[in-house]
Each structure stands twice: as structure tokens, then as C-alpha cells.
Amino acid sequence: MTPIYEVNTKHSKEMLYRFIDFDYKQRHARIPMHLIVFGICCFTVAALLYRHYGQIGSSIPWICVGILLVLLVFLRRPIAFLKLSTQDENYEKQNVIGFHFGHSEWTVKNEDQISRIQYSEINGLYKDKKYYYISTKENELFLLPFQDFVKGEFKTFQEFVEQKSGIQTQDLALPFKERYKRKLAQIKANQAKADEAWEEQRQKNREKAMEKKRQRQERKKK
């Protein structure tokens, strides 16, 4: 395979934090809200117990749980980094990971292991001011720093991978309102294509039915 784009990168501290932030925002965006709601519920129960019994003792466990839940909202990011940094061998060994993008497929080389991936397996493309994010149907996420492109321009990579995968890139650097508008426009466009395909299939089925009816009529005449 002759690569058109090549990226050689390492798992840096910044990359791990980017991975964590992406995972939280795209896959677990509601967790902070849930933690805060549960924390408020704990404080409410503590207040009701204190009001009923007039003693703080029965409320202390609920207060502690509420404080812990609220703290998790702010501490889960560094906790996740500590856990990920100790489990990621590529971060500990600082292995060079090579990405090679060809016409028909792309490969990921990590030491002596080479994974071949089809563009049809991509189910999500994202970017911010420094990275491309590629997610696959196998629930894998690959980060490509702009500065680590060694072949091909990172500015033209977006158009290339969009054409190969048929997936539109979501710009994470845009304000939420703008991203929502674009996502809504994409959903409407996909729905329009689906409606058009359904109408086309419906027309074909109608034509087939008419053809069968015509053939039956001709057989009756004979």
C-alpha cells in the first residue's frame, strides 16, 4: 500500500487528557449532571432527617455522600488520567505509533503489530484546533495531532478521509449552538436522501407490479 498521508505520533500527557475530555463530552456528557442531581438529593434527605429528628447525627452519612458526589464532578478528570496513564503501555514506553492512509484502507502500526482498517469501518470524524479524532465501529478512538503529519498536509486530510468514509467531520472547536445547527442540517439531509431512495424503490416496485400485470394479461389473451 502506497500511503497518501502518514502520521507518526506518541501518547503524550496532553493526548491522554484530550482522549478523556472527548470521551466525557461525546459519550458520557450527562454524567456530571447526574452526579450533581444525586448530590442535591443527598443534601435534601440530610436536611429532611435533621428537620425531623432535630439531630445532625442521622444526616452526616447523607451529607458525606453528597459532598463526595459533587467532588467527583471536579476530580473525575485527574482521576481518569491517573488510571489511564498507568494502564496505557504506549504512554509508559513512549512507543511511536504510525498511521498510514492509502487509497483503499489505512493501517495502524504499533511496534511489530499492524492493524488494517477499512474506511467503511469509520463511524465518526471530529477535529478541534490541534487534533483529528477518528472513531470506528469497533469502539476504538484514534487521535491524530496536526503537528505529527509527516506526509501530506493536515489541512487537506479532512476532505480526503471524508470522501473515503462518507462521514462528515464535526468541528469540536465550534460553539455548541453552531455544532447543533450543523448536526440538525446533516440529519435533515440524510432524511431527505432516505426519503428519495424510498420513493425511488417504491416507483420500481410499482413498475414491476405493472409489468407482471401486463404479462398476465398477455398470457390470458394467448
Side-chain angles (χ1 to χ4, degrees):
M1 180 189 72
T2 302
I4 303 173
Y5 293 88
E6 289 186 27
V7 180
N8 292 329
T9 188
K10 296 181 180 180
H11 284 186
S12 62
K13 182 177 180 180
E14 180 187 88
M15 183 180 288
L16 293 190
Y17 270 117
R18 295 270 181 167
F19 177 88
I20 293 168
D21 292 340
F22 178 89
D23 188 62
Y24 282 164
K25 291 178 181 179
Q26 299 297 322
R27 300 174 180 174
H28 309 289
R30 297 183 179 180
I31 288 181
M33 181 183 66
H34 292 165
L35 291 174
I36 291 175
V37 170
F38 290 146
I40 293 174
C41 290
C42 290
F43 293 138
T44 302
V45 172
L48 291 175
L49 289 174
Y50 178 75
R51 184 176 180 180
H52 181 75
Y53 294 105
Q55 296 180 355
I56 194 65
S58 57
S59 301
I60 289 178
W62 291 97
I63 294 174
C64 292
V65 173
I67 293 174
L68 178 61
L69 292 174
V70 174
L71 285 176
L72 281 176
V73 175
F74 302 98
L75 297 178
R76 68 189 189 119
R77 188 170 182 260
I79 291 174
F81 172 78
L82 289 175
K83 181 180 179 181
L84 183 59
S85 62
T86 56
Q87 295 177 346
D88 188 355
E89 293 184 1
N90 292 318
Y91 176 73
E92 292 181 347
K93 297 179 180 179
Q94 285 297 287
N95 295 332
V96 176
I97 304 173
F99 296 86
H100 302 79
F101 296 86
H103 287 286
S104 59
E105 64 179 7
W106 54 293
T107 62
V108 182
K109 183 178 180 181
N110 187 353
E111 294 185 322
D112 296 331
Q113 297 181 349
I114 299 179
S115 301
R116 299 184 179 276
I117 308 174
Q118 301 297 318
Y119 289 104
S120 59
E121 296 182 39
I122 296 175
N123 65 355
L125 293 173
Y126 310 85
K127 73 171 184 178
D128 56 22
K129 295 180 179 180
K130 291 185 176 182
Y131 290 81
Y132 284 114
Y133 302 78
I134 301 178
S135 65
T136 68
K137 296 176 182 178
E138 297 296 327
N139 203 30
E140 293 180 300
L141 180 66
F142 301 96
L143 276 65
L144 308 179
F146 294 168
Q147 64 181 11
D148 290 343
F149 275 74
V150 295
K151 185 176 183 180
E153 293 290 334
F154 77 87
K155 294 180 180 179
T156 59
F157 177 76
Q158 176 180 336
E159 182 180 358
F160 169 82
V161 74
E162 284 181 347
Q163 290 178 349
K164 294 295 184 181
S165 64
I167 304 293
Q168 187 175 6
T169 302
Q170 298 184 42
D171 193 343
L172 302 177
L174 291 175
F176 174 78
K177 186 176 181 180
E178 183 64 26
R179 282 188 282 129
Y180 177 78
K181 286 182 178 179
R182 294 192 179 189
K183 185 68 174 179
L184 189 61
Q186 182 64 32
I187 292 174
K188 290 182 178 179
N190 292 339
Q191 184 62 45
K193 288 182 180 179
D195 292 342
E196 184 179 350
W198 180 81
E199 184 62 32
E200 184 178 348
Q201 185 62 40
R202 183 183 177 187
Q203 182 64 26
K204 289 181 179 179
N205 293 338
R206 188 184 296 114
E207 291 175 356
K208 288 181 180 179
M210 293 178 64
E211 179 63 22
K212 289 181 179 180
K213 183 178 180 181
R214 185 185 64 80
Q215 291 176 357
R216 287 196 300 268
Q217 290 176 347
E218 289 181 354
R219 285 196 295 266
K220 287 181 180 180
K221 291 179 180 180
K222 293 179 180 180

